[in-house]
């Protein structure tokens, strides 16, 4: 990677910040296959996240694992054990995501992802070696920190390197890889469930090492985010990696114009809100008025509430507790197979969002997706309440659960991550995305803790009635998306910054870029080297 972090003297002299044309159509180079494929690989991080989330549902239903934890003759894990095993990972990821925001601003986006992979591997090794509840819980805490680093920063990294015209589709690819990870986990669980040795649970756990190795090794060969280098004042290095990402010559006008826009936007934000010390940097995330669309506080609330709402859809109830929930229904002969079917629906549905994310937009998908989910969830709850023992009614419930998963996979699954990666300005982007991801994991943890107590027969025994709760929360998601979520499709990250300041969520779809930050800031004939010298001590 060192060759990407330096440029010859000739190159430095050649890389000048573009003259202020104000041409909003020239702020980014055309998409090339090379640039596209770099971003596609980064999405592989989703398999890492999805597999880790998915395998635990099947493992907790395996006879050998249950007897390993509770002794011979045990038939099920207690509610508190399921709650602890599932939620402790999310507790680790909450703190890992927050720490990842600091690391990403300190050492870079790429090294933070690689470090997260290493931490995760340590946690996986502990889980694989476990033969008791204590060690598997400890391993999941450590693994959680690694997942927190990766899940927060991979979204940040992808949003910063992806071309604007395909950014939504590429970040949706991350969600697709999450679904693919869930599917692979279900397949592995299904294949090992009947083993009568420790391989029944150690194989699904140990296989996670492969995903971490692939992601960590691959990311090592990808370039750093040019916006990280701009933030650090290393503009010559920013130009070099930007030319590589856009597959353009270093002295290309496209590279000059895009770099000028990134620099100008960052300078504008720094002029409005000074950088300050460590604590001021975190405090900046909460500056401004909640009533101003472009304020840092409003964006932080939007990002954190977006991830909270994604968890409120109830989707992880299916993927964390689906196997045990289907067992409790009593009329499904193969709960593991049913869990595999729901995961397959998730995987096959998500690619639709690659097209609709850029065609229909983020806001529309979130509104209509929430409406579809709440209808399905209330139908499941009503049918399950009225005819809980009717095999035909159970089949109808399962059909609407699959439709509900389809609605999530094509809308809230990818769109919430896409919007989160787009709404923060560069000075607080790493910390804003980290806070948003931490919010996702916090609510993930809360749901994982309370769900067994709501549905298990020896506790709340809600059974299908739990879908009244998910339906009610999805109604909140519908209102939230209509009232508060802006449309960001087709805009660069810098244009999103302008749009949030100049429009409201309900008028955002009609907003068009009309100028550039480079034009407004008068970025004329300034060399990258000279500009970097002026800012070398400002960060």
């Amino acid at each position: 990677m060192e060759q990407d972090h330096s440029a010859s003297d000739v190159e430095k002299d050649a890389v000048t910040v573009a003259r202020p044309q104000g041409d909003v159509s020239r702020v980014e180079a055309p998409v090339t296959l090379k640039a596209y494929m770099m971003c596609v690989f980064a999405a592989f991080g989703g398999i890492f996240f999805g597999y880790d989330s998915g395998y635990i549902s099947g493992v907790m239903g395996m006879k050998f694992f249950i007897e390993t934890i509770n002794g011979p003759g045990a038939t099920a894990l207690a509610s508190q054990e399921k709650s602890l095993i599932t939620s402790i990972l999310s507790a680790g990821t909450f703190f890992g995501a927050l720490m990842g925001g600091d690391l990403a601003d300190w050492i870079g986006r790429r090294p933070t992802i690689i470090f997260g992979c290493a931490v995760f591997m340590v946690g996986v090794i502990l889980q694989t070696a476990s033969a008791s509840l204590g060690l598997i819980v400890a391993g999941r805490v450590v693994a959680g920190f690694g997942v927190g680093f990766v899940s927060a920063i991979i979204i940040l990294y992808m949003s910063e390197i992806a071309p604007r015209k395909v950014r939504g589709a590429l970040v949706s690819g991350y969600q697709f890889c999450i679904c693919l990870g869930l599917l692979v986990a279900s397949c592995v669980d299904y294949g090992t469930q009947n083993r009568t040795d420790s391989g029944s649970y150690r194989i699904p756990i140990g296989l996670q090492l492969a995903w971490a190795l692939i992601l960590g090794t691959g990311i090592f060969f990808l370039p750093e985010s040019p916006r990280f280098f701009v933030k650090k004042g290393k503009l010559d290095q920013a130009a070099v990696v930007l030319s590589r990402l856009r597959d353009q010559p270093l002295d290309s006008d496209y590279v000059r114009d895009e770099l000028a826009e990134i620099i100008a936007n960052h300078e504008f934000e720094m002029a409005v809100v000074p950088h300050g010390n460590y604590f001021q940097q975190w405090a900046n995330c909460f500056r401004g008025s909640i009533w101003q669309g472009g304020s840092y506080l409003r964006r932080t609330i939007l990002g954190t509430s977006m991830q909270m709402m994604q968890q409120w859809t109830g989707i992880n109830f299916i993927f964390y507790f689906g196997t045990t929930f289907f067992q409790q229904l009593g009329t499904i002969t193969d709960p593991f197979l049913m869990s595999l079917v729901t995961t397959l629906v998730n995987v096959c549905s998500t690619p639709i969002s690659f097209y609709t994310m850029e065609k229909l937009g983020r806001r529309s998908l979130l509104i209509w997706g929430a409406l579809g989910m709440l209808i399905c969830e209330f139908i499941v709850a009503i049918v399950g309440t009225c005819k809980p023992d009717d095999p035909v009614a159970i089949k109808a419930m399962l059909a609407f659960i699959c439709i509900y998963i389809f609605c999530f996979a094509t809308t809230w699954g990818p769109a919430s991550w896409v919007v989160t990666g787009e709404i923060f300005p560069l000075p607080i982007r790493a910390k804003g995305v980290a806070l948003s991801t931490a919010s996702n994991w916090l609510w993930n943890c809360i749901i994982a803790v309370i769900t067994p107590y709501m549905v298990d027969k020896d506790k709340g025994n809600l059974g299908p009635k739990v879908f009244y709760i998910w339906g009610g929360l999805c109604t909140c998601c519908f209102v939230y998306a209509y009232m508060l979520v802006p449309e960001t499709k087709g805009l660069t990250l810098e244009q999103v910054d302008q749009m949030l300041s100049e429009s409201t969520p309900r008028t955002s779809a009609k907003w068009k870029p009309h100028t550039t930050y480079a034009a407004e800031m008068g970025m004329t004939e300034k060399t990258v080297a000279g500009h970097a010298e002026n800012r070398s001590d400002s960060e």
Side-chain angles (χ1 to χ4, degrees), residues 178-223:
I178 291 177
C179 301
L180 198 59
L182 288 165
L183 176 62
V184 173
S186 293
C187 291
V188 175
D189 284 346
Y190 188 71
T192 65
Q193 61 172 312
N194 293 322
R195 289 180 65 111
T196 56
D197 57 17
S198 63
S200 61
Y201 69 90
R202 283 181 170 152
I203 291 173
I205 294 173
L207 191 59
Q208 295 174 99
L209 290 171
W211 315 132
L213 280 171
I214 293 170
L215 178 63
T217 303
I219 288 289
F220 179 80
F221 293 102
L222 294 183

Side-chain angles (χ1 to χ4, degrees), residues 23 58 123 174 176 252 278 316 440 514:
D23 184 352
Y174 171 77
F176 172 69
S252 163
Y278 173 80
N316 277 333
N440 181 291
H514 49 82

Side-chain angles (χ1 to χ4, degrees), residues 303-497:
T304 53
S305 60
M306 174 74 69
Q307 293 300 321
M308 176 185 74
M309 290 290 176
Q310 193 207 49
Q311 290 300 311
W312 279 16
T313 62
I315 194 67
N316 277 333
F317 168 71
I318 299 297
F319 296 129
Y320 281 166
F321 302 104
T323 303
T324 52
F325 173 71
F326 296 141
Q327 287 172 338
Q328 291 169 2
L329 290 178
T331 59
I332 298 176
T333 56
D334 195 339
F336 280 87
L337 182 60
M338 190 61 228
S339 183
L340 180 59
V341 169
T342 57
T343 307
L344 191 61
V345 171
N346 194 27
V347 171
C348 294
S349 303
T350 302
I352 296 173
S353 68
F354 297 174
Y355 174 76
T356 57
M357 194 65 64
E358 301 299 347
K359 183 68 175 178
L360 302 179
R362 289 70 156 148
R363 175 178 164 84
S364 297
L365 288 182
L366 290 168
I367 292 171
W368 291 106
L371 181 62
M373 285 189 289
L374 73 88
I375 291 171
C376 290
E377 286 173 324
F378 280 126
I379 290 174
V380 170
I382 293 168
V383 172
T385 302
C386 296
K387 295 191 174 184
D389 301 318
D390 187 336
V392 176
I394 296 295
K395 290 178 182 177
M397 285 172 52
L398 296 177
F400 277 100
I401 287 174
C402 289
I403 297 171
Y404 151 65
I405 293 171
F406 169 83
C407 291
F408 174 86
T410 53
T411 60
W412 275 83
S416 59
W417 290 111
V418 173
V419 173
T420 297
E422 294 175 330
I423 58 176
F424 294 102
L426 184 55
I428 66 163
R429 185 170 295 139
K431 291 177 173 61
V433 174
L435 283 169
S436 301
T437 308
S439 172
N440 181 291
W441 287 110
L442 174 63
W443 284 97
N444 189 307
C445 180
I446 291 171
I447 290 172
V449 168
I450 66 176
T451 298
Y453 294 96
M454 291 193 297
V455 299
D456 282 4
K457 291 184 177 180
D458 62 336
K459 302 296 180 182
N461 196 25
L462 288 179
K465 297 184 185 71
V466 74
F467 281 91
Y468 283 119
I469 296 175
W470 306 136
L473 292 175
C474 267
T475 304
C476 296
C477 294
F478 174 76
V479 175
Y480 169 86
Y482 178 76
M483 299 296 295
L484 297 176
V485 177
E487 183 52 73
T488 57
K489 73 168 182 174
L491 304 177
T492 66
L493 297 182
E494 290 67 40
Q495 289 168 347
V496 170
D497 199 39

Side-chain angles (χ1 to χ4, degrees), residues 504-517:
T504 66
R506 282 177 284 177
T507 62
S508 57
K510 298 178 181 178
W511 185 89
K512 301 296 181 185
H514 49 82
T515 186
T516 65
Y517 279 102

Side-chain angles (χ1 to χ4, degrees), residues 93-271:
T93 53
F94 172 79
F95 293 105
L98 291 177
M99 293 169 60
D102 281 331
L103 279 177
D105 275 345
W106 180 36
I107 64 176
R109 284 59 163 140
R110 195 178 59 103
T112 302
I113 296 170
I114 295 171
F115 178 69
C117 291
V119 172
F120 177 76
M121 290 173 67
V122 173
V124 171
I125 291 170
L126 290 175
Q127 291 177 74
T128 305
S130 67
S132 65
L133 182 63
L135 191 55
I136 197 165
V137 167
R140 282 179 67 77
V141 171
V142 175
F145 275 91
V147 173
F149 290 140
V150 174
S151 62
I153 307 309
I154 201 80
I155 290 293
L156 170 66
Y157 179 70
M158 290 180 66
S159 296
E160 289 191 337
I161 70 173
R164 59 172 173 157
K165 293 181 180 178
V166 293
R167 187 177 60 242
L170 287 170
V171 179
S172 296
Y174 171 77
Q175 176 66 23
F176 172 69
C177 287
I178 291 177
C179 301
L180 198 59
L182 288 165
L183 176 62
V184 173
S186 293
C187 291
V188 175
D189 284 346
Y190 188 71
T192 65
Q193 61 172 312
N194 293 322
R195 289 180 65 111
T196 56
D197 57 17
S198 63
S200 61
Y201 69 90
R202 283 181 170 152
I203 291 173
I205 294 173
L207 191 59
Q208 295 174 99
L209 290 171
W211 315 132
L213 280 171
I214 293 170
L215 178 63
T217 303
I219 288 289
F220 179 80
F221 293 102
L222 294 183
E224 181 55 86
S225 165
R227 288 174 169 87
F228 168 72
F229 286 130
V230 168
K231 183 175 172 65
K232 289 295 186 181
K234 300 177 181 179
L235 305 188
D236 58 323
Q237 295 180 25
V240 173
V241 297
L242 187 59
S243 70
R244 182 180 171 193
L245 284 167
R246 299 295 178 254
D247 199 19
Q248 296 285 327
L250 189 60
D251 60 353
S252 163
D253 284 345
Y254 285 115
V255 173
R256 294 181 180 185
D257 290 349
E258 184 172 358
L259 183 58
E261 184 69 358
I262 295 170
I263 294 169
N265 172 254
H266 184 51
E267 288 213 333
F268 173 81
E269 295 293 342
M270 293 298 290

